Amino acid sequence: MSTYRDFTHRGSARATVLRTVGTRERRSHLTAPRVPTVGIDIGGTKVMAGVVDADGNILETLRTETPDKSKSPKVVEDTIVELVLDLSDRHDVHAVGIGAAGWVDADRSKVLFAPHLAWRDEPLRDALASRLVVPVMVDNDANTAAWAEWRFGAGRGEDHLVMITLGTGIGGAILEDGQVKRGKYGVAGEFGHMQVVPGGHRCPCGNRGCWEQYSSGNALVREAKELAAADSPVAHGIIERVKGNIPDITGPLITELAREGDAMCIELLQDIGQWLGVGIANLAAALDPSCFVIGGGVSAADDLLIGPARDAFKRQLTGRGYRPEARIAKAQLGPEAGMVGAADLARLVARRFRRTNRRRVERYERYAQMYDQAASTIRNTRNTRTP
């Protein structure tokens, strides 16, 4: 990467700079350098990397499959490094932001746990920073997606925003006054594991009745497969579409059939949407935001999902009729939100890093000038002594 090719002192100084980031994001993003950065979104099935400019525009994107979770963390690191180096051959990259599907500590240096990867207390930031010549920022992927929607998407202009990402499970993030609220230990926003049905469906987290067991991509597909396996009359449409191969039933297929008017698929999305509205009402009681942004793959169902969610939210909201109601909006940036947000948050790190590096260069130049002056004085002294 041409910006820092000659920078050799990459260790403790960089770590010190990176640890200062995170407490003044709202003010910082306004003065961050307008330089291109790389955002990387790491999920269970793919790694997506892209160069993003200061206005949130994606200049180039690369995708690859996520290495199998049984492999060592270094395999994933190698994949990230290869993508960054590839992009840096064509772009002047100033920082790298990582949005990881997992728990990231409050310092944004370690991935404490990633359900789809072999990351357990993994020092990802420092491991990557030691191999790349630009600063690295690590955060939870829902946090980076929420930041992107606040900066460039459906949450622009909102002071109190909650994002809910509906995919395989449910993730989430909280922004207040332009600052991501990560919690004391960095793991805030795990809304999917709020208990909404005591003794309900078993969740992979080990508990029962978690919200994501009733309002997520997994819940949608599970219900459709159960009806198809029972050879329910209402499931004949989807059974015919997959030619009787029930494992081929997917969330996007259910959404497609619902748009075509399939009654069962419409009803399933309504059920998922109603549970979504119940959870949002609970979050409104606890957090009182002005806006909920709904993202993730399941949100592609649009009003087939969000319409029922709005209706259920209004019915379940505490103090309904006597309090302002939060706006519920679909995310605008799609599957690239996490990548765009990671790149934009990395730009804050680039500002501090560039300032520290500039001071180091200025100090070096002063020393070099002093050395040249001293050398010139010595030469002049010798010349005057020569007969």
Side-chain angles (χ1 to χ4, degrees):
M1 287 162 246
S2 57
T3 308
Y4 299 113
R5 285 288 187 192
D6 299 328
F7 182 61
T8 57
H9 304 288
R10 302 195 296 255
S12 59
R14 173 186 284 130
T16 300
V17 172
L18 292 172
R19 279 194 293 268
T20 66
V21 179
T23 58
R24 295 158 60 187
E25 288 165 339
R26 181 183 178 92
R27 185 168 63 185
S28 296
H29 89 269
L30 298 174
T31 56
R34 297 183 61 81
V35 294
T37 51
V38 168
I40 297 179
D41 186 12
I42 306 173
T45 58
K46 72 177 187 308
V47 179
M48 181 166 57
V51 180
V52 182
D53 69 14
D55 297 315
N57 299 311
I58 301 172
L59 307 181
E60 184 180 352
T61 303
L62 298 175
R63 288 178 175 85
T64 187
E65 291 184 359
T66 302
D68 187 81
K69 64 181 179 181
S70 65
K71 296 178 181 178
S72 70
K74 187 176 183 302
V75 177
V76 184
E77 291 174 19
D78 292 342
T79 301
I80 295 170
V81 170
E82 289 172 6
L83 291 172
V84 173
L85 294 179
D86 190 353
L87 291 168
S88 68
D89 286 340
R90 296 176 296 281
H91 303 274
D92 190 19
V93 176
H94 289 248
V96 176
I98 311 289
W103 292 357
V104 178
D105 71 351
D107 291 334
R108 286 185 282 172
S109 61
K110 294 181 180 180
V111 180
L112 302 175
F113 172 77
H116 305 295
L117 296 167
W119 282 341
R120 304 294 183 268
D121 205 27
E122 179 66 24
L124 181 62
R125 185 190 69 189
D126 293 340
L128 291 173
S130 67
R131 301 177 62 181
L132 298 171
V133 289
V134 292
V136 177
M137 185 282 307
V138 179
D139 208 339
N140 171 266
D141 59 347
N143 288 342
T144 62
W147 179 266
E149 291 291 342
W150 176 71
R151 288 273 284 126
F152 309 112
R156 282 176 294 184
E158 299 289 351
D159 288 331
H160 293 77
L161 177 148
V162 170
M163 183 163 186
I164 299 166
T165 56
L166 299 178
T168 303
I170 295 180
I174 308 163
L175 271 82
E176 290 185 5
D177 296 323
Q179 182 178 336
V180 179
K181 310 300 286 186
R182 298 179 176 86
K184 174 65 175 179
Y185 305 108
V187 296
E190 291 296 329
F191 306 138
H193 299 289
M194 300 186 303
Q195 188 184 63
V196 295
V197 180
H201 290 294
R202 176 73 71 179
C203 180
C205 76
N207 294 327
R208 287 186 178 274
C210 292
W211 186 24
E212 68 177 39
Q213 291 303 304
Y214 300 88
S215 184
S216 68
N218 270 356
L220 180 66
V221 173
R222 182 192 66 227
E223 295 295 316
K225 286 182 175 180
E226 287 180 359
L227 287 168
D231 199 23
S232 170
V234 300
H236 283 174
I238 200 166
I239 293 172
E240 182 179 349
R241 180 63 66 91
V242 298
K243 297 180 172 60
N245 191 10
I246 294 175
D248 287 346
I249 295 175
T250 64
L253 176 60
I254 296 169
T255 299
E256 179 184 341
L257 289 173
R259 288 193 178 120
E260 294 174 2
D262 184 280
M264 183 199 77
C265 293
I266 292 173
E267 184 176 340
L268 289 178
L269 283 169
Q270 288 175 340
D271 289 345
I272 296 297
Q274 288 171 4
W275 278 112
L276 175 61
V278 170
I280 291 175
N282 289 339
L283 290 173
L287 302 174
D288 191 30
S290 60
C291 176
F292 288 96
V293 175
I294 313 300
V298 183
S299 68
D302 299 319
D303 278 343
L304 290 169
L305 172 83
I306 295 179
R310 289 192 179 109
D311 293 340
F313 170 71
K314 291 178 179 179
R315 290 196 306 270
Q316 299 291 328
L317 182 64
T318 302
R320 51 192 174 277
Y322 297 94
R323 58 178 289 178
E325 293 183 5
R327 180 169 66 94
I328 299 175
K330 181 190 173 185
Q332 294 179 358
L333 302 182
E336 287 81 20
M339 181 186 72
V340 171
D344 199 60
L345 284 167
R347 195 166 287 109
L348 307 181
V349 179
R351 179 170 72 89
R352 290 165 172 82
F353 184 78
R354 282 158 58 89
R355 180 186 299 162
T356 300
N357 195 42
R358 183 174 65 248
R359 289 172 179 168
R360 183 181 294 108
V361 171
E362 291 172 350
R363 190 162 56 246
Y364 171 81
E365 290 175 346
R366 286 200 303 271
Y367 290 152
Q369 185 178 11
M370 292 169 59
Y371 174 83
D372 290 341
Q373 291 175 347
S376 177
T377 300
I378 292 173
R379 284 195 301 271
N380 292 336
T381 301
R382 287 176 178 175
N383 290 337
T384 56
R385 290 177 180 176
T386 301

